[in-house]
Amino acid sequence: MTAIPSVVLNNGVEVPQLGFGVFKIPPYETSAAVAEALALGYRHIDTAAMYGNERGVGDAIRGSGLPRDEIFITTKLRTARYRREDVTAGFEQSLDELGLDFVDLYLVHWPLPTVCNFVDTWRGVEDVYRTGRARAIGVSNFEREHLRRILSETGTIPAVNQIEVHPFLPQDDLRAFNADHGIATEAWSPLGRAGILADPNIAAIAARHSRTAAQVILRWHLQRGDIAIPKSTHGHRMAENLGALDFTLTETEIAEITGLGPARRMGPDPNVFDILS
Ligand code: A2P
């Protein structure tokens, strides 16, 4: 397998650019899916307290026999723990579920601007960072106005902003804002929850390279410099997605994919998402 390149975060921590996401994988299937992903060569697993499947991720890590420092693990604070004084307990609950004593990246899952004070939450995540039990900290689903607030009101720049990005939502303004502030962009639902795979323009590019649509879309993410975390419960698709590593799209093809439009979200709008769970 071609080596997975790394992205270097603003505190020097390195992240494998192509990871494996476990959103929507049921708890009872998670351990087997992550075990298969690790066996195929994935070394970056993305979970969250709200997915309810951290335990399966931890079981698979231990079962893999791989040294802990060869696997990059991200998890996210559940929204029910957003008061600064609750963040450490939320974090420790994730460590318990994972069976780990540190994570590589810890994220605020959603800004919840209509119901919470995410600046306070971010201060709680800074508290966790100071204990050394998260090698890097960041946010997820933050829009520019949310990032501006934590940049101006607190001391730490997030290492990552994990947001919905795919060819139908290229997010170039937010990605540029992230880049201008040294924040790495990480794409969730990089395949658009598979909704884009039938697009005829992508099919034409894929045919030109003798690749699949999923490989072309993931390649687009990688060449744009983003971290991407596709999810699959099927081993042959996990393997197929690693096939994004060893070919190159032209700049024209990348621009064509970016311009597919019109923009449409597959997931919630971060400005209105307000579920406390
Ligand atoms: P499955 O888990 O049944 O393999 P995203 O990560 O963008 O949210 O997309 C995840 C969805 O895309 C899942 O429904 C997953 O289905 C599907 N998927 C993942 N990889 C591929 C692939 N290479 N080809 C087709 N569908 C894929």
Side-chain angles (χ1 to χ4, degrees), residues 15-27:
V15 191
Q17 195 183 4
L18 186 60
F20 181 72
V22 300
F23 177 52
K24 291 211 166 155
I25 302 187

Side-chain angles (χ1 to χ4, degrees), residues 78-99:
R78 65 168 62 255
T79 52
R81 301 278 199 168
Y82 267 26
R83 291 186 318 166
R84 179 177 183 173
E85 58 269 36
D86 293 340
V87 172
T88 293
F91 176 72
E92 288 175 347
Q93 195 175 351
S94 283
L95 289 184
D96 277 356
E97 290 285 320
L98 287 160

Side-chain angles (χ1 to χ4, degrees), residues 24-92:
K24 291 211 166 155
I25 302 187
Y28 57 90
E29 283 182 38
T30 302
S31 174
V34 173
E36 191 156 17
L38 292 171
L40 285 165
Y42 289 90
R43 291 292 180 269
H44 166 184
I45 311 294
D46 180 275
T47 183
M50 287 202 293
Y51 302 167
N53 58 15
E54 289 170 311
R55 191 168 291 271
V57 172
D59 287 346
I61 293 166
R62 277 182 298 284
S64 73
L66 289 163
R68 171 66 185 90
D69 64 2
E70 286 184 19
I71 310 176
F72 190 97
I73 304 295
T74 301
T75 194
K76 315 184 190 84
L77 176 67
R78 65 168 62 255
T79 52
R81 301 278 199 168
Y82 267 26
R83 291 186 318 166
R84 179 177 183 173
E85 58 269 36
D86 293 340
V87 172
T88 293
F91 176 72
E92 288 175 347

Side-chain angles (χ1 to χ4, degrees), residues 189-194 197 214 229-234 237 240-241:
S189 265
L191 301 172
R193 298 202 180 140
L197 294 171
I229 46 167
K231 166 257 171 191
S232 177
T233 46
H234 296 92
R237 290 184 180 152
E240 175 185 333
N241 294 345

